Amino acid sequence: MKEKLYIIKIGGTLIDDKKSLKAFLMQFSEIEGAKILIHGGGKLAETLAEKLKIRQTMIDGRRITNKKTLKVVTMVYAGRINKNLVAKLQSFDCNAIGFSGADGNVIKAEKRQHPEIDFGFVGDIDEKSINHELIINMINLGLVPVFSAITHDKKGNLFNTNADTIAGTIAQALSKHFDTELLFCFDKNGVLENIEDENSNLKTINKQEFSELKSEGKLHKGILPKLENAFRAKENGVQKVALIKEEKLSDQIKLGNEGTEICL
């Protein structure tokens, strides 16, 4: 039987809320066994970019990253946020270690190629991008990897890579070695059928239902990358994938019935 591995992704809303973040990290630290944390950014990068008068552009929940924006997100994601999370986890006796994709060549990306849009320094990854042997070795040492949304191309360039994509791709790469559960944690009860109604969350969602909700414009743009990566992970061997509310992490680990579970 494979060892259980939890891969948990958190985003900016939680990172920006000190009280909620502390409570979440306490829940995360109490998870027994193998676990990985992946984080996005938060308002800090946008606030800093605004102060520096660097215009920010988002397309379908994905950030256009020019040279100046890359400097900001690298400082914030791989620096301030990543090390702050590691330090807080250490305070809960969770032996965390923080990474960008360049550290240990753990996530190697390729510059995004798009026929119409120049995304700038945005890196795309697939399962082969992940140095799964290094991650497994860290887990076997009892360490808890914490990944930021910064990757590299092994040619000296850093890239901004969507954290949901990183979470899903790491989960795919490790699902061959572990019984992997991928949890996208955010500030909603799951996938909402009606974005105005917090209690309208679906208990499960399949690809057809996702396509229908998307075509009807019922899904917030920010949830699209989560769902796209959630389905890709499920289709590529990840044993369980769900979108849950951050504060429900412990309940999900114990009962397994929170939020919205991805089905094929």
Side-chain angles (χ1 to χ4, degrees), residues 225-245:
K226 288 180 176 57
L227 283 168
E228 289 164 359
N229 284 289
F231 279 107
R232 190 176 298 117
K234 185 67 176 176
E235 290 167 348
N236 286 279
V238 180
Q239 285 78 5
K240 186 171 183 177
V241 184
L243 282 71
I244 69 168
K245 195 163 189 175

Side-chain angles (χ1 to χ4, degrees), residues 44 48 52 68-82 150:
L44 183 59
L48 182 56
L52 296 172
K68 291 182 179 179
T69 298
L70 179 65
K71 290 180 181 179
V72 170
V73 296
T74 301
M75 286 188 291
V76 174
Y77 298 173
R80 173 75 177 273
I81 292 174
N82 187 265
I150 301 298

Side-chain angles (χ1 to χ4, degrees), residues 25 32 48 53 78 100 107 111 119 130 133 141 248:
L25 293 177
E32 296 182 359
L48 182 56
K53 297 183 179 180
S100 72
I107 308 173
K111 187 181 187 302
F119 281 89
I130 308 301
E133 292 181 357
L141 288 170
K248 299 289 188 178

Side-chain angles (χ1 to χ4, degrees), residues 195-219:
I195 198 169
E196 303 296 330
D197 182 3
E198 181 66 28
N199 296 314
S200 67
N201 61 295
L202 302 169
K203 294 305 293 181
T204 62
I205 186 171
N206 60 35
K207 203 72 178 284
Q208 182 178 344
E209 291 167 336
F210 167 55
S211 297
E212 289 173 358
L213 289 171
K214 183 179 178 180
S215 64
E216 292 168 4
K218 291 184 177 180
L219 296 173

Side-chain angles (χ1 to χ4, degrees), residues 37-67:
L37 185 65
I38 294 111
H39 65 86
K43 293 180 181 177
L44 183 59
E46 293 181 10
T47 301
L48 182 56
E50 189 176 314
K51 287 181 179 179
L52 296 172
K53 297 183 179 180
I54 301 170
R55 184 182 174 187
Q56 299 294 285
T57 304
M58 302 287 287
I59 298 178
D60 291 336
R62 300 179 187 273
R63 187 185 304 277
I64 302 293
T65 306
N66 58 26
K67 285 185 178 181

